[in-house]
Amino acid sequence: MKVLGIETSCDECAAAVVDEGRVLSNVVATQIPIHTPYQGVVPELASRTHAVWIYRVVKEALDKAAVTVEEVEGVAATAFPGLLGSLLVGLHFAKAFAWARKLPFIAVDHLLAHLYASRLAGDDAALTAEYPYLGLLVSGGHSVICRVENFDTVTVLGTTIDDAAGEAFDKVAKFYGFGYPGGQAIDLLARGGNSAAYKFPLPNLYKPGKDGKDHRYDVSYSGLKTAVINQREQFRCGSVNSPAPHELSQSEKADIAASFQKTAIDIILRAAVRAAEDYNLSTVVAGGGVAANSYLRGQVKNFPHLNFVFPPLEYCGDNGAMVAGIGEQYLRRGETSSFEASASARIKSLKRKYP
Ligand code: KG4
Ligand code: ZN
């Protein structure tokens, strides 16, 4: 079934065509240059830019797939969570396309789409592991450790209690001026650094929280972020190891990036491994922008009893292929959304379970 998928939840204007799980095209027009002067996504600029770009992006996706408008058999779009103004552009373009062509339409959850990305067949073979498995969703807006029951159902076992993993990368990079977007910049800078140069704290969420619930699979990034940011004061004011105040050298920057990255990834990996072991799930499937991180991908060899699966890099960050792919699953089951389906900034469909 040839499904057009549209993704505009944040700053990537993306469309793709998938047929029987195979990606025929995957076009991602990034707005990074537009938001770089602000070192962060400006929602109003993002939605306006989507409105200008969406037609060309969809047309390019159809052209690259060599699929005509008449040959499209279904349309899927991200409806939540994300930036409301941005979501509305892609969602309504998709509705208009489906309405004009009298096609089935499905509104898709962005987080489920990220978790589905490993099952897409592009140049590499797709994941065919049986459900359930452990899902590790690490993006700019979310950090979720979950039991993936099926493509449309996950049970959340842990999540962040403050910042998302990608958000921590972005904030640290912004503070130190490492580059934008922060995740990729830190990943590259850290390759030349010593990850043992600075010791940053790992949060301890193993004890029941104030709510009396067990947060053992939750993660937290605010303590790490504060520690890394405070470290710069030590360069400015001087410290025991480095008494004279000074601006950071290139090698100190690389060491900070590597030490932060190590701790940030250890935090999420520790929680994911703990959940996988406790729930007897031997396959761990990652998704989201941070799943592209090279240190994370290298670290998983330390857990040989678990089978880690990462999507190809082009399906880690926001893309239309994951939306078309999961959309095809719903549509093949005969499930569609009404044209009144609305966009939402919030997570809608994930249920939480405490140990
Ligand atoms: O999935 P995504 O494209 O958008 C959201 O749904 O949020 O994820 C974007 C996030 C950003 O925070 C970005 O800095 C991070 O993914 N990211 C990375 C890497 N590439 C992108 N973080 C760490 N290492 C990377 N290589
Ligand atoms: Zn995303």
Side-chain angles (χ1 to χ4, degrees):
M1 180 177 197
K2 292 184 179 62
V3 176
L4 168 67
I6 297 178
E7 156 61 46
T8 61
S9 67
C10 190
D11 60 338
E12 313 290 9
C13 190
V17 181
V18 164
D19 187 14
E20 304 301 322
R22 173 150 284 282
V23 182
L24 303 185
S25 66
N26 187 37
V27 176
V28 181
T30 180
Q31 297 183 6
I32 288 172
I34 290 169
H35 302 286
T36 298
Y38 311 95
Q39 298 285 295
V41 177
V42 181
E44 178 71 18
L45 282 180
S47 56
R48 284 169 183 238
T49 307
H50 286 312
V52 176
W53 289 3
I54 187 73
Y55 168 77
R56 261 192 297 149
V57 168
V58 170
K59 182 163 186 332
E60 194 179 326
L62 293 174
D63 290 348
K64 283 202 167 143
V67 167
T68 64
V69 168
E70 292 72 25
E71 286 168 338
V72 175
E73 294 166 280
V75 186
T78 303
F80 52 86
L83 300 173
L84 209 48
S86 291
L87 286 164
L88 285 169
V89 176
L91 183 66
H92 287 275
F93 193 96
K95 284 185 192 175
F97 192 111
W99 181 76
R101 297 292 316 149
K102 299 187 173 45
L103 295 174
F105 160 73
I106 184 82
V108 163
D109 180 324
H110 185 75
L111 306 186
L112 294 180
H114 268 307
L115 286 168
Y116 186 79
S118 288
R119 301 190 86 90
L120 292 166
D123 296 334
D124 298 320
L127 167 73
T128 51
E130 294 281 314
Y131 295 105
Y133 42 73
L134 193 91
L136 173 58
L137 168 58
V138 270
S139 70
H142 304 278
S143 302
V144 177
I145 289 165
C146 54
R147 200 181 120 107
V148 183
E149 321 285 354
N150 203 336
F151 73 87
D152 62 341
T153 315
V154 309
T155 305
V156 176
L157 306 173
T159 183
T160 179
I161 60 165
D162 38 58
D163 290 352
E167 195 180 352
F169 275 85
D170 294 338
K171 285 181 176 167
V172 165
K174 184 174 178 178
F175 184 80
Y176 277 93
F178 287 161
Y180 177 83
Q184 257 174 325
I186 288 181
D187 193 341
L188 284 174
L189 184 59
R191 286 177 202 177
N194 171 11
S195 64
Y198 301 94
K199 285 262 171 300
F200 295 126
L202 283 167
N204 181 7
L205 298 170
Y206 208 73
K207 298 193 197 92
K210 286 191 190 117
D211 55 5
K213 297 196 168 116
D214 189 329
H215 291 266
R216 72 180 67 195
Y217 311 120
D218 282 345
V219 295
S220 162
Y221 282 100
S222 66
L224 169 62
K225 187 183 66 186
T226 308
V228 177
I229 286 173
N230 285 344
Q231 183 64 43
R232 199 174 71 173
E233 290 312 305
Q234 312 227 355
F235 293 112
R236 283 212 177 126
C237 306
S239 66
V240 181
N241 296 336
S242 178
H246 65 287
E247 286 305 314
L248 267 80
S249 67
Q250 199 51 34
S251 80
E252 280 169 335
K253 285 182 182 172
D255 288 350
I256 286 277
S259 304
F260 159 74
Q261 174 175 262
K262 176 190 175 348
T263 316
I265 297 299
D266 284 354
I267 287 174
I268 193 83
L269 208 45
R270 190 180 62 159
V273 167
R274 184 182 285 164
E277 288 171 350
D278 291 356
Y279 282 84
N280 274 325
L281 299 168
S282 57
T283 298
V284 181
V285 177
V290 184
N293 185 266
S294 61
Y295 177 81
L296 168 63
R297 287 175 177 241
Q299 280 307 98
V300 301
K301 65 176 179 315
N302 298 332
F303 308 96
H305 58 300
L306 297 173
N307 169 33
F308 276 85
V309 180
F310 291 93
L313 291 181
E314 68 264 32
Y315 307 143
C316 285
D318 291 346
N319 66 86
M322 64 183 190
V323 176
I326 194 169
E328 186 184 24
Q329 295 294 320
Y330 285 107
L331 296 175
R332 276 168 50 161
R333 205 163 67 178
E335 206 170 313
T336 58
S337 303
S338 124
F339 283 140
E340 268 142 55
S342 65
S344 166
R346 292 169 181 275
I347 301 182
K348 271 192 169 175
S349 54
L350 311 184
K351 56 177 191 299
R352 172 83 204 231
K353 182 176 188 300
Y354 290 95

